[in-house]
Amino acid sequence: MKNVLLLVFVIIFTSCKNEGVKKENVKEEVIKELSLEQKEKYQTLKNEAWSLYETQEYLKSAKKYSQAFKSTNNRSNNTDRYNAACSWALANEKDSAFVQLFRIAEKGEYSSYSHITTDPDLASLHTDSKWNKLLEIVSANKEKKEANLDKPLVAILDTIYNEDQGLRREIKTIEETYGRDSNEMKAHWDAIAKKDSINLIKIQKILDERGWLGQDIIGGRGNMTLFLVIQHSPLEVQEKYLPMMRDAVAKNNAQPSSLALLEDRVALRIGKRQIYGSQIARNQETGEFYVSPLKDPENVDKRRAEVGLGPLSEYVSNWNIDWNVEKHKLMTEKMESK
């Protein structure tokens, strides 16, 4: 069986819908103090809420988010409350939407002014007298958050981010147009490799001189860019900076969910099984996707919940994979016996 390991990317989106799938670093309300049981229940409820949002059952979605928040004694994160607000707004329950938005603005210091002012899900709130007051708070949060940013470095990282993700967003279109094994696809991968090597030099210089900087210095996107470039780097580079990223997570300068992806990538590349199931592979002969060898697959969702990742079954559905623990174990045994 010929297989190829897929590079799994983290992309920061700009709509309410996409924000629920891939989230930025968010300010949390003591969410880390929850028990594992509470985290799992919360994760289940918010995933159900998200599914209801996707099927346009907005009122049911909003109420399900409320159940999720109640399960943790109202401790949650900005992203989930923002998405709850979207559901309330789309259900034409404006007051409830504002409750969530004012909470993340006042307590969560929500600062994504450009996002909240352009999100179509919140359009029904724009004529309400509370809207401008909300925007004043968000704008003030933005100014406060960005006051001490290293703006020249932020600009450099923003360019690197666009180069890293821009080329990768084109992969699917090129493959569908020309084919997986086409010269056009090979040329595109060559372009990605060349750009990655250039960006890696820049990122290593930053990490070696200043360490793994947090959002307070380089913003959310800049912080994510550090991870993305290392995630796409050679194994020896990943092994070098893995301890630094672990330390950054401990200091709240990096996301546990991002670290999980790097831990998985390194584990597979040194011949071990991944831990969180983030790495997806593809059979080059059949074109089918599958979850790369996974340690203790029965308990993977518990480990994913601990780092803020949703259930594996939902994650792999993006590749049309039907997650089945027993089938995965049999496949892994066959692969490792060769």
Side-chain angles (χ1 to χ4, degrees), residues 31-275:
I31 199 85
K32 293 180 181 178
E33 295 179 5
L34 299 175
S35 68
L36 180 57
E37 183 179 355
Q38 284 178 305
K39 288 180 181 179
E40 289 179 339
K41 184 175 182 180
Y42 179 83
Q43 191 74 41
T44 297
L45 288 169
K46 80 165 190 174
N47 287 337
E48 290 176 2
W50 182 252
S51 295
L52 289 166
Y53 170 92
E54 290 190 305
T55 57
Q56 300 181 15
E57 298 178 82
Y58 300 123
L59 185 58
K60 290 183 179 179
S61 170
K63 290 181 177 180
K64 188 65 69 172
Y65 273 118
S66 294
Q67 290 180 37
F69 303 148
K70 186 176 180 180
S71 73
T72 62
N73 296 319
N74 277 322
R75 287 175 290 184
S76 60
N77 60 56
N78 283 359
T79 299
D80 296 335
R81 288 195 178 276
Y82 182 95
N83 288 342
C86 287
S87 290
W88 283 119
L90 290 166
N92 204 33
E93 296 284 348
K94 297 180 182 179
D95 288 343
S96 295
F98 276 116
V99 167
Q100 298 302 327
L101 293 174
F102 273 103
R103 176 164 184 142
I104 64 174
E106 295 173 340
K107 294 186 177 182
E109 298 177 7
Y110 180 85
S111 60
S112 297
Y113 187 87
S114 61
H115 182 88
I116 197 172
T117 54
T118 57
D119 191 338
D121 283 359
L122 303 178
S124 65
L125 307 181
H126 294 185
T127 57
D128 193 289
S129 60
K130 294 185 283 294
W131 180 249
N132 287 334
K133 176 60 177 177
L134 173 68
L135 294 188
E136 288 177 8
I137 299 172
V138 175
S139 179
N141 289 342
K142 182 176 183 293
E143 290 181 11
K144 178 181 178 182
K145 183 177 180 180
E146 296 179 353
N148 297 317
L149 290 185
D150 185 334
K151 291 183 173 60
L153 183 54
V154 169
I156 291 172
L157 290 169
D158 193 55
T159 298
I160 293 174
Y161 173 91
N162 289 328
E163 292 174 343
D164 181 280
Q165 294 292 276
L167 286 170
R168 286 174 165 83
R169 289 193 183 101
E170 297 173 6
I171 291 174
K172 183 177 181 180
T173 299
I174 294 175
E175 180 178 320
E176 290 176 347
T177 303
Y178 300 103
R180 279 191 295 127
D181 300 321
S182 65
N183 290 331
E184 288 81 1
M185 192 72 257
K186 292 175 183 177
H188 192 69
W189 278 113
D190 288 342
I192 289 175
K194 182 177 181 180
K195 184 60 66 176
D196 282 355
S197 65
I198 294 172
N199 287 336
L200 179 58
I201 293 172
K202 298 175 184 178
I203 292 299
Q204 284 191 280
K205 179 176 174 60
I206 295 169
L207 293 175
D208 292 344
E209 293 180 356
R210 302 185 61 176
W212 203 290
L213 302 172
Q215 292 189 57
D216 56 331
I217 297 177
I218 57 176
R221 175 174 287 193
N223 184 256
M224 177 61 70
T225 301
L226 299 180
F227 158 69
L228 287 170
V229 174
I230 296 303
Q231 180 76 344
H232 302 153
S233 66
L235 174 60
E236 61 271 17
V237 175
Q238 293 177 338
E239 290 182 308
K240 175 182 178 181
Y241 293 105
L242 183 55
M244 182 186 289
M245 190 176 185
R246 289 170 180 157
D247 185 58
V249 168
K251 296 177 180 177
N252 293 320
N253 282 341
Q255 282 291 309
S257 55
S258 296
L259 175 60
L261 268 66
L262 184 58
E263 296 276 16
D264 277 356
R265 180 69 61 82
V266 171
L268 287 172
R269 296 178 85 173
I270 63 176
K272 296 182 179 180
R273 297 184 182 184
Q274 60 176 327
I275 303 167

Side-chain angles (χ1 to χ4, degrees), residues 262-303:
L262 184 58
E263 296 276 16
D264 277 356
R265 180 69 61 82
V266 171
L268 287 172
R269 296 178 85 173
I270 63 176
K272 296 182 179 180
R273 297 184 182 184
Q274 60 176 327
I275 303 167
Y276 302 98
S278 67
Q279 303 301 292
I280 307 301
R282 188 176 197 176
N283 184 315
Q284 286 189 320
E285 295 176 352
T286 66
E288 293 184 42
F289 296 105
Y290 62 91
V291 179
S292 294
L294 176 64
K295 177 182 179 182
D296 185 22
E298 290 89 349
N299 295 301
V300 64
D301 282 343
K302 291 182 180 180
R303 298 192 296 274

